[in-house]
Amino acid sequence: MKVEQLISQYLFLHKNITLQGIGSFNISIEVPSLIENEKSFSLPEDAIRFEFNPKAEHDQDFIAYITKQ
């Protein structure tokens, strides 16, 4: 599985992800969880927000998630 797929999965599961030196992505709570094999799903345009933060620290939970996958 590619890293971008893991990032997407983590974001949908946890509603927030912080990438070191980049910033944070947040997904609106109203967005329904994706079914893993759902191919026709589309997000509303404003469902994901990005907050730039070059001083963002690494996210230990995300690192653990990637390691596990």
Side-chain angles (χ1 to χ4, degrees), residues 14-60:
H14 299 275
K15 308 296 185 204
N16 181 331
I17 187 170
T18 299
L19 302 175
Q20 183 177 4
I22 298 174
S24 297
F25 289 91
N26 300 294
I27 192 164
S28 120
I29 294 174
E30 303 85 45
V31 176
S33 296
L34 281 178
I35 299 172
E36 198 168 297
N37 294 325
E38 182 68 42
K39 297 195 185 273
S40 64
F41 182 82
S42 63
L43 287 172
E45 190 172 310
D46 59 347
I48 298 176
R49 289 180 305 133
F50 174 70
E51 296 173 28
F52 176 67
N53 181 1
K55 296 180 182 181
E57 297 292 324
H58 60 273
D59 183 337
Q60 287 292 66

